[in-house]
Amino acid sequence: MAEEKKIQVPRVKLGTQGLEVSRLGFGCMSLSGGYNSPLPEEEGISIIKYAFNKGITFFDTADVYGSNANEVLVGKALKQLPREKIQLATKFGIAVSGPTGIIAKGTPEYVRLCCEASLKRLDVEYIDLYYQHRVDTSIPIEVTIGELKKLVEEGKVKYIGLSEASPDTIRRAHAVHPITAVQMEWSLWTRDLEEEIVPLCRELGIAIVPYSPLGRGFFGGKAVLENLPVDSTLVLHPRFKGENLGKNKNIYTHVENLAKRHKCTPAQLALAWVLEQGDDVVPIPGTTKIKNLDDNICSQMVKLTKEDLKEISIAVPIEEVAGDRVFDGMKHLTWKFANTPPKDSEV
């Protein structure tokens, strides 16, 4: 597919509040060592600029990535790009709480503190899309969204998003202020959102932004499976551990065989599958390599029929995927455990 390297990424509406983004976003986490060692700053900036020149204008970061370093990196890259043409997404809400583990925090004071800190690190006047990264189940979602609504009214945030939120939380949040996008893990081997979350978002006019659309790199190629770097945090991920990885390699083989038939790479097939889930679906794959970025962009050229989509889905039987989709210690922060107390229980 070398002749298609010059293709540009088209634009789509994200949600129903007016935000327009590139059809494919870019997850910036890995530039600051999300799974492996962080890239030198200049390399990270050059990848963001390269992505922009290819038509990607939707960049995703978070305050927790690289312990704030990712926002600083993205901010420096933005200084070399036209800010008005960029759709910048960042997140708040994951707090590391020492020996008690990772918690989600969504008090009004924390929301405002995080927003001000992100604006400073990014060195921007506003955030296009501000997500609650994980839901604080100790307080009503109306309280958290109420403060985010104030930030919108003040012009510090343009649009509001949620990540790993339950159906009840999404519906209640949307009643306080329109939610533009819900970010969820969605890929060939992670499809638990399809029964409840996807239909609800479409009912409410909320876009879906899949993170880890390539299965945290699993569908990126045999190199990931055979030579996972020892410094990669993925060695601790349930699906990449010993016996589980051995079982999951069979899944990769199925996708690899299908990719050959479609004359593309396994990664392109996996990403094309996500893209074909709907025009309201905007995945945000991340990478540290220009070649992988080019391959991701070219995934748009892989055309799949309804029969193709069904065949690909069947090739990755969810019941045969070995291991949980999240790292140990993070399951309590996933959408199935993200209900909050009713508004009248506010203390």
Side-chain angles (χ1 to χ4, degrees):
M1 301 180 74
E3 71 279 3
E4 292 149 1
K5 295 291 184 182
K6 294 181 180 179
I7 66 169
Q8 286 281 312
V9 180
R11 303 188 64 70
V12 295
K13 296 289 186 183
L14 193 75
T16 51
Q17 280 76 56
L19 180 58
E20 186 177 280
V21 301
S22 51
R23 181 71 174 88
L24 193 65
F26 184 81
C28 299
M29 181 185 75
S30 59
L31 302 179
S32 299
Y35 296 135
N36 301 307
S37 299
L39 289 183
E41 190 173 85
E42 284 306 312
E43 285 188 33
I45 291 173
S46 68
I47 288 176
I48 291 174
K49 290 168 63 178
Y50 184 90
F52 176 80
N53 289 331
K54 289 288 186 175
I56 293 176
T57 60
F58 185 35
F59 294 95
D60 182 274
T61 181
D63 57 4
V64 73
Y65 296 163
S67 300
N68 304 155
N70 197 243
E71 285 187 326
V72 173
L73 171 69
V74 172
K76 289 181 177 180
L78 291 186
K79 291 301 179 188
Q80 302 179 39
L81 297 170
R83 174 67 182 96
E84 70 279 2
K85 294 183 179 180
I86 299 292
Q87 297 80 55
L88 174 63
T90 192
K91 316 179 200 72
F92 76 92
I94 292 181
V96 179
S97 184
T100 61
I102 299 172
I103 64 169
K105 197 170 181 181
T107 63
E109 298 78 14
Y110 187 74
V111 171
R112 183 163 292 272
L113 181 70
C114 288
C115 182
E116 298 287 0
S118 287
L119 287 169
K120 186 174 182 180
R121 283 188 294 269
L122 290 160
D123 196 14
V124 294
E125 294 183 356
Y126 63 91
I127 296 163
D128 293 281
L129 179 59
Y130 200 35
Y131 291 100
Q132 182 180 23
H133 206 164
R134 293 294 185 271
V135 175
D136 182 347
T137 57
S138 69
I139 63 172
I141 188 62
E142 291 86 353
V143 175
T144 303
I145 300 300
E147 191 64 23
L148 285 167
K149 181 178 180 180
K150 290 179 183 177
L151 292 171
V152 171
E153 292 168 347
E154 294 166 18
K156 294 174 181 176
V157 170
K158 299 292 185 184
Y159 302 92
I160 297 174
L162 297 172
S163 181
E164 290 287 344
S166 69
D168 182 68
T169 296
I170 293 170
R171 192 178 289 279
R172 286 167 54 193
H174 192 69
V176 176
H177 186 280
I179 301 301
T180 292
V182 167
Q183 190 172 125
M184 290 281 190
E185 184 171 356
W186 197 3
S187 68
L188 274 174
W189 72 352
T190 297
R191 309 212 290 266
D192 56 349
L193 78 165
E194 293 177 359
E195 187 174 339
E196 295 181 72
I197 300 294
V198 174
L200 174 61
C201 285
R202 286 177 173 158
E203 173 195 332
L204 299 177
I206 300 172
I208 303 154
V209 176
Y211 71 85
S212 298
L214 295 177
R216 301 179 193 267
F218 176 81
F219 296 105
K222 287 185 176 178
V224 176
L225 309 185
E226 304 296 343
N227 303 297
L228 197 62
V230 293
D231 65 340
S232 173
T233 57
L234 287 176
V235 298
L236 302 174
H237 192 284
R239 292 184 176 176
F240 289 85
K241 285 181 179 178
E243 185 177 344
N244 284 349
L245 181 59
K247 293 178 180 177
N248 290 332
K249 284 180 180 178
N250 294 326
I251 289 171
Y252 179 84
T253 300
H254 295 158
V255 174
E256 184 180 42
N257 291 335
L258 282 173
K260 289 177 181 176
R261 282 172 44 193
H262 287 277
K263 298 181 180 179
C264 64
T265 67
Q268 287 172 335
L269 188 70
L271 188 52
W273 181 90
V274 176
L275 285 165
E276 288 288 350
Q277 298 307 308
D279 292 337
D280 57 349
V281 177
V282 180
I284 50 168
T287 184
T288 58
K289 296 179 174 64
I290 293 294
K291 179 186 179 301
N292 293 344
L293 180 54
D294 278 333
D295 283 349
N296 290 345
I297 292 171
C298 285
S299 66
Q300 300 171 102
M301 304 303 293
V302 180
K303 302 304 179 185
L304 302 173
T305 65
K306 289 183 179 180
E307 291 72 25
D308 292 332
L309 291 172
K310 184 177 181 180
E311 182 181 31
I312 294 167
S313 298
I314 292 172
V316 185
I318 292 302
E319 65 275 8
E320 293 182 16
V321 178
D324 201 343
R325 73 174 178 91
V326 295
F327 285 94
D328 295 338
M330 291 289 286
K331 190 169 184 178
H332 67 290
L333 296 177
T334 57
W335 70 266
K336 291 185 179 180
F337 304 95
N339 283 343
T340 72
K343 179 68 165 66
D344 57 13
S345 69
E346 182 183 346
V347 294

